[in-house]
Amino acid sequence: MIPGCEEILRLAQEYDTIPVCREIYADVVTPITLLRRIAGRSRRFFLLESVEGGEKWGRYSFLGCDPVLRVTLKNGRIVTEQADGTKTETEANRPYDILREILKTRRSPRIKGMPPFTGGFVGYFAYAMIGYAEPTLTISRGGEQDFDLMLFDEVIAYDHLKQKISVVVNMETGDKAPETLLGAYGKACGRIEAIVRMIRDSSPLPESEPGRAKGFASSFSKEEYCRRVEKTKEYIRNGDIFQAVISRQFTSPFEGSLLNAYRVLRTTNPSPYMVFMGIDGQEII
């Protein structure tokens, strides 16, 4: 385990949380295997990974589940949900300030030998967030949140270079008394061991049925799309704007999980930014 007891006592005087880490070998498990196992036991989880230049895997894949906090924003109202389900709701004209205040209470050190991400917010910011920076704009909103962020204090970092897995659990240092800190350290080590047992679980995973889309429909026709493009070019010629993104939304009813779709896409069309995220039954890839 790193850091050791003496380092914990020293770091606790300066930081609110301290990441505790254990390395294990990763030659018999893959990120997708871990994702499937996590998805079977948690309703809130993520996988982040990347491929550079279309041909080289990024060094790390990051996984996590069961966040300690969820923060959502919709139409200027922030809802904060604790792990026990307790919720508070507030108005927020400056939502980024709320997020910064939360992160201020969870300052943690960078420790040599640990992966670059050891915990924090994972989620999404919708296009509607532009409206908070430019309130004069009229933003078209969909059904999703303006942002939906989950705060994770446990992270599994799959190191493709070393073929090792770093299991990270963050311990809080609110009470600086040595005996309290060492007790919290012991609990963090226990949580790490529970995660290691889950990673090493060799029980068979259930067969996953391939999801099926039933045909995609566009939000408007090709003719309407072309008309909007021509109108945009006219705005540019007149000097009203200098650029715009004209886009259509394609939707389809879908049965099953997106997990198999993600598995196929990460192989056939890998990208520098890949994510599989589950939030209470909603899946985002």
Side-chain angles (χ1 to χ4, degrees), residues 27-268:
D27 51 355
V28 295
V29 66
T30 69
I32 291 296
T33 303
L34 288 179
L35 176 64
R36 291 181 64 199
R37 205 166 288 285
I38 288 171
R41 63 181 65 195
S42 175
R43 289 183 56 79
R44 297 178 180 177
F45 56 89
F46 72 89
L47 165 64
L48 304 175
E49 51 188 355
S50 65
V51 169
E52 299 161 1
E55 57 186 21
K56 178 184 174 185
W57 277 97
R59 178 167 176 178
Y60 293 99
S61 294
F62 295 101
L63 300 102
C65 64
D66 300 330
V68 296
L69 190 71
R70 181 186 180 191
V71 187
T72 59
L73 172 69
K74 183 73 172 180
N75 294 325
R77 296 195 68 81
I78 280 188
V79 177
T80 303
E81 181 184 352
Q82 306 292 333
D84 62 3
T86 305
K87 294 182 180 180
T88 57
E89 190 170 337
T90 56
E91 293 282 347
N93 294 323
R94 298 173 61 86
Y96 293 113
D97 290 347
I98 304 290
L99 299 178
R100 292 188 184 100
E101 288 302 315
I102 293 172
L103 292 175
K104 274 184 184 177
T105 67
R106 303 186 67 86
R107 295 180 308 112
S108 65
R110 287 191 175 274
I111 298 175
K112 185 177 180 181
M114 287 196 189
F117 178 62
T118 56
F121 277 126
V122 176
Y124 68 80
F125 293 89
Y127 184 78
M129 288 302 296
I130 293 175
Y132 296 94
E134 297 288 350
T136 58
L137 296 178
T138 301
I139 302 296
S140 176
R141 280 182 163 84
E144 71 279 353
Q145 306 285 350
D146 295 342
F147 69 56
D148 195 333
L149 300 173
M150 299 174 288
L151 187 65
F152 292 89
D153 71 343
E154 298 178 351
V155 173
I156 300 170
Y158 192 107
D159 188 332
H160 296 277
L161 177 63
K162 289 186 176 181
Q163 284 295 292
K164 288 185 177 181
I165 291 173
S166 293
V167 180
V168 181
V169 167
N170 286 269
M171 57 168 280
E172 296 186 6
T173 64
D175 189 334
K176 308 295 185 182
E179 60 273 14
T180 305
L181 289 170
L182 294 179
Y185 180 53
K187 289 180 180 178
C189 293
R191 289 166 64 191
I192 286 174
E193 292 306 321
I195 296 171
V196 170
R197 287 194 296 272
M198 184 269 293
I199 294 171
R200 289 176 170 169
D201 183 359
S202 59
S203 61
L205 290 161
E207 289 293 326
S208 56
E209 293 293 325
R212 298 193 180 280
K214 295 189 174 181
F216 286 86
S218 173
S219 54
F220 49 86
S221 68
K222 178 180 178 181
E223 289 73 24
E224 173 64 13
Y225 180 78
C226 292
R227 190 191 69 77
R228 295 189 186 195
V229 170
E230 290 303 320
K231 187 66 175 177
T232 301
K233 289 162 69 175
E234 183 181 336
Y235 283 137
I236 292 172
R237 283 193 292 267
N238 292 340
D240 298 323
I241 62 173
F242 62 90
Q243 66 178 18
V245 177
I246 312 302
S247 61
R248 292 190 283 173
Q249 182 182 57
F250 291 83
T251 58
S252 169
F254 189 86
E255 295 177 356
S257 171
L258 290 172
L259 181 53
N260 280 322
Y262 179 77
R263 291 170 66 189
V264 171
L265 285 170
R266 78 195 283 272
T267 303
T268 60

